Amino acid sequence: MIIDLPSTTTSQVNRKLVELRERGGAVALGRVLTLVIVDDDGEHLEEHIDAANEASREHPCRVIVIARGSRTAAARIDGQIRIGGDAGASEVIILRLYGPLATQGQSAVVPLLLPDAPIVTWWPSAGPKDPERDPIGELAQRRITDSAAERNPVRALQTRRKNYTPGDTDLAWTRLTNWRAQLVAALDLPPYEAITSAVVTGEADSPSTELLAGWLAEYLKVPVKRIKTAAAQGIVSVQLERRSGVIELHRPDGKVGTLTQPGQPTRRIALHRRSTKDCLIEELRRLDPDEVFEAALHGLDKLSAGSGKPAAKARKTAKASAS
């Protein structure tokens, strides 16, 4: 069910929610959190709402969407309430703010928050430089940004590193979960030797590649070289050097990776680029600070740059050792 409330106020939206709850039996007490989405009122807004609806099937929540409209229009709020099949396992409240109200998202959100429920703020497009100091971000226990959606993703990631506050996270980090799991699993196989250096290759403006390299640098305590390439999107390969040879995880097509390491058969691994929905579901599973993400941000300062030649050479060495 979709109910439109043009030229409304947050008080009127709240009264309508109470009316719907009393009439239809929708129980707000079943919501485990409030998810606030802050975005421009553009063509991708519905995609982000759909991702939140899918995430709500695992995390029932109230979704409040602050859709910032034209700043030059007359001041008004157009509200919309979605429940039932149009809202997944959540109740979706969309507030389109126009004119001077477009910058007053906090005032619009506060009356609609669920009592005693944790608050998560998500900026699916361009986010603030300092999420914790943002008027809506300061309401939340967790603040989710996406550096990959910024005009300059790597610069945005560096800005977030400087302004990091416990509770901040980024979907560029969540997209690394499968890569991290495969690399850790590879190191659990013999021979159990220390890593001496690493090379991470990926698209020049890929924040996920930066974070993967930073994570390796911080936890392995070895030199990590970050190589930029235009040959593929996102992360392309990781090489971990040790005395017996190179462990390499190579994904040239964004779908299937190949893991090669000395003394082990070559393995093909599903490494599809993760959807926004999957990343959001994972992030909503925790409301405490992500210390590993913080450590990966610290590791960004330890990276060195290089050309694509060392990575290609390492790949040949790894294949020769495995054969």
Side-chain angles (χ1 to χ4, degrees):
M1 180 189 298
I2 298 178
I3 301 168
D4 290 314
L5 300 169
S7 298
T8 188
T9 65
T10 53
S11 296
Q12 292 173 343
V13 172
N14 225 340
R15 283 198 296 271
K16 191 65 177 179
L17 283 168
V18 173
E19 177 188 330
L20 290 170
R21 188 156 55 245
E22 292 175 346
R23 189 175 64 192
V27 181
L29 295 179
R31 310 309 182 194
V32 298
L33 58 88
T34 301
L35 175 62
V36 182
I37 303 175
V38 184
D39 200 3
D40 289 331
D41 188 13
E43 58 180 334
H44 297 295
L45 180 64
E46 286 297 329
E47 297 175 16
H48 303 147
I49 296 174
D50 288 343
N53 286 345
E54 289 298 319
S56 74
R57 300 184 189 280
E58 181 172 324
H59 312 280
C61 58
R62 170 173 286 183
V63 178
I64 304 173
V65 182
I66 299 299
R68 299 169 298 200
S70 172
R71 274 63 165 177
T72 59
R76 79 174 192 277
I77 300 176
D78 287 345
Q80 186 179 83
I81 299 173
R82 301 182 186 182
I83 57 176
D86 294 297
S90 63
E91 50 193 6
V92 178
I93 305 163
I94 302 173
L95 300 177
R96 291 182 165 87
L97 310 183
Y98 298 94
L101 296 177
T103 60
Q104 302 299 315
Q106 185 191 53
S107 300
V109 165
V110 170
L112 300 171
L113 297 176
L114 293 174
D116 301 322
I119 302 167
V120 179
T121 302
W122 175 35
W123 293 269
S125 301
K129 293 182 179 180
D130 189 346
E132 199 273 337
R133 293 183 180 275
D134 180 84
I136 299 179
E138 67 183 9
L139 299 173
Q141 284 77 31
R142 290 276 282 173
R143 297 164 293 276
I144 305 172
T145 54
D146 190 355
S147 296
E150 300 278 356
R151 182 172 298 178
N152 190 321
V154 175
R155 182 182 300 170
L157 183 64
Q158 290 289 351
T159 300
R160 305 257 161 73
R161 178 188 63 80
K162 295 175 183 176
N163 297 320
Y164 174 82
T165 302
D168 292 352
T169 190
D170 199 289
L171 294 189
W173 170 248
T174 324
R175 295 185 183 101
L176 294 177
T177 299
N178 294 338
W179 280 85
R180 293 166 54 211
Q182 293 298 335
L183 291 171
V184 170
L187 293 178
D188 282 341
L189 297 174
Y192 305 106
E193 300 172 333
I195 303 299
T196 58
S197 64
V199 178
V200 180
T201 303
E203 196 174 8
D205 62 351
S206 167
S208 293
T209 307
E210 299 284 330
L211 284 169
L212 182 57
W215 172 68
L216 291 172
E218 184 69 15
Y219 281 98
L220 295 179
K221 309 298 182 184
V222 298
V224 177
K225 184 174 291 186
R226 162 61 162 112
I227 294 178
K228 299 180 180 180
T229 180
Q233 292 184 328
I235 306 168
V236 178
S237 67
V238 177
Q239 293 94 25
L240 304 178
E241 181 75 45
R242 55 186 183 183
R243 186 171 57 83
S244 61
V246 176
I247 300 172
E248 183 193 36
L249 183 54
H250 183 229
R251 186 193 66 176
D253 61 356
K255 297 179 181 178
V256 180
T258 302
L259 179 64
T260 57
Q261 57 189 127
Q264 299 289 336
T266 299
R267 291 188 292 157
R268 287 169 59 83
I269 300 169
L271 272 180
H272 284 265
R273 304 187 75 185
R274 302 187 71 192
S275 67
T276 300
K277 174 199 71 175
D278 290 339
C279 293
L280 183 61
I281 289 173
E282 180 178 331
E283 283 297 342
L284 293 181
R285 288 176 187 150
R286 63 180 303 165
L287 296 174
D288 58 317
D290 190 341
E291 294 86 357
V292 182
F293 171 59
E294 182 181 4
L297 289 175
H298 292 160
L300 296 176
D301 288 334
K302 303 178 181 180
L303 306 181
S304 61
S307 65
K309 293 182 180 179
K313 182 178 179 181
R315 185 153 56 252
K316 292 179 181 178
T317 303
K319 291 180 178 178
S321 300
S323 62

